[in-house]
Amino acid sequence: MRGNIISDFLDKYDYDVRKTGDARWIDQKCTYDVVSIIADCIIEYVDENDVKEFTVSDIWYSEYARENVISIFSKPDPELKAVNEYDKYFGQPIKLLGYSKILDVRKEKNRYYYSINNRELLDKIALRPTNALNFLYEYIVKVIKDSGIWDSFEQFFKIQTKESYKDVRDTFIRFTINNTKINGETECGRIFTKVINPLAFKLKKKGTERGRISKKIIILSDLQYNRANWRDELSGKDKSITRAEHEPQLCDRAMASYTINKAKKAMRKFNDSIYNGKSEVYQSTEMVNATQAHHIFTQSDYPTIADYVENLIMLTPNQHYLMAHPNNKTQYVDKDFQYICLIAKSTKIYLDLTSEKEDKFYDFEDYKLVLNTGLETEDFSSISYLDFASIIEKIDYYYIDNISNNKYYKLINENKLDRNPIYLNNTDSVRMVAEDQSEYRL
């Protein structure tokens, strides 16, 4: 998610805590991974129930939220217990989204009702946890600057000493107590962690750890919700193994399944919206809609990129089960068709990233990561932003044997951006590859 989209939105509003008196603009549960999941739960609830307004309890009692929160975080079922815990887990990120104006908020009696103000940003935050992290960084900086306490933070990141740390921490605590209803230093200190560490991570600096300046630079895992404190109820934990042994296996599998399914869902929705549900691999003989979200590089062989939309491509059933996986043998990938998928995906990513719409669905750096991982190389790392000519040239290099003798050679001309007039009409005759020949032949 590119920064200008976020900042353009945030610049519309004044988030000065001195004016609002609201300490809950961020809170202990507002880690980037939790915010992303809650955003996804909101979208799923609103779309599934065709409603505009919702409450915190509507989200936490929804079937989608219950299934995913229980399986990913080993949290107890909200139907059974831990109402207060769920109120915080769902309520705090929703409160953050409300304060940021991504959600509209109204109060009726003692109940808060929320509705989506900026669907575009909410979709982005839900799609990728890293999008949520980028948003949190921009949002935190904007609130701190609007509230007039940025100087202490800026000084700490310039001069990382115990003294500068004490100054910024004391400044935040004193500011919060003086301008909000929170009056305890302990609670302020816990919130301070959620404020300063995302900034430290983005700036590659030290942050806070147990009330002191951290010994090392803050890394991504430092920002994730603390799984060590989650409960064992309903997790199915074997009493003979420790929590430490059990939770990573359970949560990692559940998280992998959740993120992959979420990526597939987003891919289908995007393809339906932009391409009317047609296959991303253009094939004149295929008239049916694309219903299959296919991994270009298999989930089993490359699990680290299984939840990247840049590694997913929408295909028709025939393309998926007969061409991508011949004779429906899903453990086998046809290299000829894999090449077709890559050049078709490159075309679709190019068209998205060079379109006039401000917000983009794909990420160029993520596509390079997918290609590096799937082709087990680092050759794509040095390619400049939007240099699709080099992208295609390197793909061609790795699939040279699947070009000259490709059994689907006609699809090459139909799916390369510089070969098909359907695409050329919209691209000012952009050339994506350096070859001079007019087409590939057997």
Side-chain angles (χ1 to χ4, degrees), residues 158-357:
K158 284 181 179 178
I159 306 173
Q160 298 224 283
T161 63
K162 291 180 181 179
E163 291 74 23
S164 65
Y165 171 81
K166 184 178 186 304
D167 179 68
V168 70
R169 188 174 187 273
D170 289 349
T171 296
F172 179 82
I173 291 174
R174 187 168 56 250
F175 173 85
T176 303
I177 291 175
N178 290 340
N179 292 282
T180 74
K181 294 180 180 180
I182 295 179
N183 54 23
E185 289 192 12
T186 301
E187 186 173 5
C188 290
R190 290 170 179 165
I191 296 173
F192 174 70
T193 300
K194 306 305 179 186
V195 172
I196 200 165
N197 279 354
L199 306 186
F201 170 77
K202 294 292 286 186
L203 298 172
K204 297 179 173 59
K205 299 287 185 178
K206 293 179 181 178
T208 185
E209 183 180 16
R210 297 180 181 178
R212 299 181 179 88
I213 186 172
S214 61
K215 295 179 180 179
K216 299 178 180 179
I217 291 173
I218 296 298
I219 60 175
L220 190 62
S221 60
D222 294 328
L223 305 181
Q224 295 169 347
Y225 193 60
N226 183 15
R227 296 179 183 177
N229 291 331
W230 293 340
R231 304 177 186 181
D232 295 327
E233 289 100 328
L234 301 183
S235 67
K237 184 176 79 68
D238 187 335
K239 301 298 183 183
S240 65
I241 65 174
T242 66
R243 179 200 296 260
E245 293 171 325
H246 171 75
E247 281 195 342
Q249 301 171 30
L250 180 72
C251 296
D252 287 349
R253 286 197 302 270
M255 178 61 87
S257 177
Y258 165 75
T259 56
I260 291 168
N261 289 333
K262 183 170 70 171
K264 287 183 175 181
K265 180 178 68 175
M267 188 69 254
R268 288 190 181 95
K269 186 180 296 184
F270 176 79
N271 193 61
D272 288 346
S273 172
I274 304 300
Y275 297 108
N276 297 317
K278 300 301 181 184
S279 173
E280 291 189 79
V281 173
Y282 179 75
Q283 186 177 2
S284 57
T285 57
E286 280 293 291
M287 307 302 292
V288 300
N289 279 359
T291 58
Q292 308 297 309
H294 167 67
H295 282 100
I296 301 174
F297 299 110
T298 61
Q299 176 181 336
S300 57
D301 291 332
Y302 303 99
T304 59
I305 55 172
D307 60 346
Y308 282 64
V309 291
E310 293 80 8
N311 187 37
L312 291 171
I313 188 164
M314 293 304 300
L315 303 176
T316 67
N318 282 341
Q319 289 173 336
H320 190 220
Y321 295 118
L322 298 180
M323 301 168 78
H325 304 295
N327 299 317
N328 199 18
K329 295 179 180 178
T330 54
Q331 73 277 12
Y332 173 73
V333 174
D334 185 282
K335 296 286 287 186
D336 283 357
F337 195 71
Q338 187 178 56
Y339 172 73
I340 301 297
C341 287
L342 284 173
I343 61 172
K345 195 68 187 181
S346 297
T347 296
K348 294 299 191 290
I349 293 175
Y350 176 88
L351 293 173
D352 176 62
L353 295 181
T354 58
S355 66
E356 293 183 357
K357 62 176 183 171

Side-chain angles (χ1 to χ4, degrees), residues 101-161:
K101 310 300 184 186
I102 289 179
L103 300 180
D104 285 327
V105 187
R106 71 175 183 89
K107 186 177 181 181
E108 186 175 309
K109 296 180 180 179
N110 292 323
R111 196 175 182 87
Y112 288 95
Y113 294 86
Y114 299 89
S115 58
I116 298 174
N117 176 45
N118 192 309
R119 175 64 184 253
E120 190 174 58
L121 271 182
L122 193 64
D123 279 337
K124 275 296 184 183
I125 290 169
L127 178 62
R128 305 175 197 259
T130 51
N131 289 350
L133 179 57
N134 291 338
F135 174 78
L136 281 178
Y137 171 77
E138 299 273 355
Y139 168 68
I140 292 168
V141 169
K142 182 67 162 58
V143 175
I144 292 172
K145 286 184 175 180
D146 287 355
S147 301
I149 55 173
W150 173 250
D151 287 350
S152 293
F153 285 84
E154 189 174 37
Q155 184 67 14
F156 170 68
F157 290 127
K158 284 181 179 178
I159 306 173
Q160 298 224 283
T161 63

Side-chain angles (χ1 to χ4, degrees), residues 3-130:
N4 66 317
I5 300 170
I6 306 171
S7 58
D8 286 350
F9 172 78
L10 295 176
D11 285 345
K12 298 176 183 177
Y13 303 101
D14 181 2
Y15 299 106
D16 190 344
V17 175
R18 293 169 296 186
K19 298 176 182 178
T20 65
D22 194 343
R24 305 303 177 182
W25 63 274
I26 195 168
D27 220 321
Q28 297 174 52
K29 310 294 184 184
C30 296
T31 57
Y32 76 97
D33 49 349
V34 173
V35 170
S36 181
I37 289 175
I38 300 306
D40 182 46
C41 290
I42 291 171
I43 291 168
E44 186 70 20
Y45 177 81
V46 169
D47 290 350
E48 185 69 22
N49 294 279
D50 194 23
V51 295
K52 291 185 177 180
E53 279 197 326
F54 58 89
T55 64
V56 170
S57 58
D58 287 335
I59 304 302
W60 91 43
Y61 282 110
S62 67
E63 183 177 355
Y64 183 80
R66 289 177 60 196
E67 286 176 356
N68 287 294
V69 171
I70 292 169
S71 61
I72 293 170
F73 299 122
S74 301
K75 280 192 171 291
D77 191 327
E79 289 283 357
L80 302 180
K81 57 184 71 175
V83 171
N84 185 56
E85 184 176 354
Y86 267 84
D87 184 50
K88 292 178 181 178
Y89 182 84
F90 285 89
Q92 291 178 4
I94 291 175
K95 178 73 173 176
L96 180 151
L97 293 170
Y99 193 93
S100 71
K101 310 300 184 186
I102 289 179
L103 300 180
D104 285 327
V105 187
R106 71 175 183 89
K107 186 177 181 181
E108 186 175 309
K109 296 180 180 179
N110 292 323
R111 196 175 182 87
Y112 288 95
Y113 294 86
Y114 299 89
S115 58
I116 298 174
N117 176 45
N118 192 309
R119 175 64 184 253
E120 190 174 58
L121 271 182
L122 193 64
D123 279 337
K124 275 296 184 183
I125 290 169
L127 178 62
R128 305 175 197 259
T130 51

